[in-house]
Amino acid sequence: MSSTEISELQRTIGQLRQCVAALRGRYGDIPAVRRLVNDIERLDIDSSEFSGTPSTPVPRNPVEAEVVVVPDTPYDPSLWQGADDEGVGGYQR
């Protein structure tokens, strides 16, 4: 594939990404929109194999781009006070 064809393919994928972003704005984060986003990401990854350069992933939205660190320390037992334990038959008062 020539560099012109690769550039055209990447430009078209960018246009598809904009169209799907508009669909997400109109219909929200429904399953059909999520599948389209996934398909476009796959196209982007596959097209990068033609140019030999790795694709840089584009975050779907700013929330997904953040990393949340969960500590290994035990939770405060007061968080579970009054909660039902489903496997034991519920909380008995």
Side-chain angles (χ1 to χ4, degrees):
M1 201 177 243
S2 71
S3 63
T4 306
E5 292 169 326
I6 293 170
S7 297
E8 178 67 19
L9 178 61
Q10 290 172 344
R11 185 187 64 76
T12 305
I13 291 170
Q15 289 176 334
L16 275 171
R17 193 181 309 276
Q18 291 175 349
C19 291
V20 172
L23 286 173
R24 177 181 276 162
R26 181 172 182 171
Y27 296 104
D29 196 31
I30 62 174
V33 173
R34 286 195 304 265
R35 285 192 301 268
L36 286 170
V37 168
N38 188 35
D39 291 343
I40 291 172
E41 288 176 0
R42 186 73 239 166
L43 284 170
D44 193 29
I45 291 168
D46 290 343
S47 68
S48 69
E49 292 179 8
F50 288 110
S51 63
T53 59
S55 170
T56 57
V58 177
R60 293 182 186 170
N61 62 41
V63 174
E64 291 178 356
E66 295 179 19
V67 175
V68 177
V69 178
V70 179
D72 290 334
T73 58
Y75 289 109
D76 181 10
S78 66
L79 292 173
W80 307 109
Q81 189 173 21
D84 287 345
D85 189 357
E86 294 180 11
V88 182
Y91 180 71
Q92 311 253 337
R93 292 191 178 162

